[in-house]
Amino acid sequence: MCVLTVKNVQKSFGKIRVLKDISLAVQDGEIVSIIGASGSGKSTLLRCITKLETPDFGEIRMKGKAGLVFQNFNLFPHYSVLRNITEAPIHVMNISREEAEKEAMGLLKRLGLEEKADAYPYQLSGGQAQRVSIARALALKPNILFFDEPTSALDPELTGEVLKVIRSLADLNMTMVIVTHEMEFARELSDRIVFMDRGIIAEEGTPEEIFTSENVRVKEFLGKFHH
Ligand SMILES: Nc1ncnc2c1ncn2[C@@H]1O[C@H](COP(=O)(O)OP(=O)(O)OP(=O)(O)O)[C@@H](O)[C@H]1O
Ligand SMILES: [Mg+2]
């Protein structure tokens, strides 16, 4: 079953054609990583899919709710961790405060953050803040979760704890679309990798297919990640 269908999506900012003709389908339970050079349109595609931008052309269909986790957490600085998580369930989904807090505490426990419920975002490490933003996204019970470079603002050490959480979501069969520069992680976790290049999907396949691709642009891009 398709959770997400993107058909012939185009998006320009002024004269720059950022998305030229993007078509993509994501199946229930699938993990799709999106890779590609800076400026290739990855974030714009996620923003169109999650309705933060409106495509100029094309069609996007999604079954159920989407959750979104950004690079820079976007937590409300003046709300506690708990309130950051319960705000949307209470005000968007009309769940009682009591129920929302119970759910949120369960999520915090799962993510190893139980003792941070009353902390404020400035009191958290980057890795903790990112895990709170994952808890906040999960609190809305999404059918599909989108990540836009969830670890790129983090030290390698903190990156590990966030990737561990994403792995645990994979074990629970969460459908996920992950924009990432963590190539080994994408290779290990993804069912499918999509390579974007200058506004198009230039290559798409299993991790094995992508990492052994003869496509010059793919090889050039992956070459940058070899140590
Ligand atoms: N709101 C906007 N207004 C004008 N131009 C924009 C806007 N958002 C994105 N762009 C331009 O669109 C192009 C693609 O940007 P996008 O953020 O989608 O790239 P990306 O693949 O996510 O890159 P990165 O890996 O650096 O995050 C860039 O040239 C960018 O400057
Ligand atoms: Mg981006």
Side-chain angles (χ1 to χ4, degrees), residues 46 67-71 130 133-134 137 145-150:
L46 281 203
L68 181 57
V69 177
F70 298 95
Q71 173 182 342
Q130 190 58 300
S133 78
I134 293 172
L145 206 45
F146 296 91
F147 294 88
D148 193 353
E149 297 193 28

Side-chain angles (χ1 to χ4, degrees), residues 6-145:
V6 175
K7 262 193 197 156
N8 305 112
V9 161
Q10 299 181 21
K11 177 74 183 175
S12 295
F13 292 111
K15 287 203 176 85
I16 320 170
R17 291 178 67 208
V18 176
L19 301 178
K20 289 172 184 159
D21 183 20
I22 302 284
S23 296
L24 177 71
V26 178
Q27 307 293 321
D28 195 19
E30 205 179 10
I31 298 173
V32 176
S33 291
I34 301 179
I35 63 172
S38 181
S40 57
K42 306 179 299 293
S43 293
T44 304
L45 176 60
L46 281 203
R47 292 175 61 80
C48 285
I49 292 169
T50 54
K51 297 186 176 156
L52 296 171
E53 296 282 359
T54 314
D56 302 325
F57 185 84
E59 205 183 312
I60 294 169
R61 261 186 279 161
M62 192 149 36
K63 282 219 174 73
K65 279 183 298 222
L68 181 57
V69 177
F70 298 95
Q71 173 182 342
N72 51 0
F73 329 134
N74 289 65
L75 298 173
F76 294 115
H78 53 296
Y79 287 175
S80 70
V81 162
L82 190 67
R83 187 152 176 217
N84 263 284
I85 298 170
T86 57
E87 203 57 13
I90 291 170
H91 296 288
V92 180
M93 292 167 71
N94 277 320
I95 288 171
S96 73
R97 178 168 302 276
E98 195 187 0
E99 181 62 26
E101 288 184 351
K102 202 174 124 207
E103 285 272 341
M105 286 311 296
L107 284 169
L108 286 173
K109 191 170 179 187
R110 241 174 71 196
L111 303 190
L113 290 167
E114 218 179 355
E115 76 285 7
K116 297 290 180 188
D118 298 322
Y120 283 80
Y122 76 90
Q123 297 169 314
L124 303 175
S125 74
Q128 290 166 344
Q130 190 58 300
R131 283 182 285 150
V132 171
S133 78
I134 293 172
R136 181 182 54 179
L138 289 172
L140 287 167
K141 300 199 176 7
N143 299 70
I144 179 168
L145 206 45

Side-chain angles (χ1 to χ4, degrees), residues 44 64 66 73-74 96 109 118 136 153 165 172-173 187 196 206 215-216 218-219:
T44 304
F73 329 134
N74 289 65
S96 73
K109 191 170 179 187
D118 298 322
R136 181 182 54 179
V165 167
L172 297 173
N173 274 331
R187 183 177 196 162
M196 283 187 69
T206 63
N215 181 315
V216 176
V218 175
K219 282 170 84 168

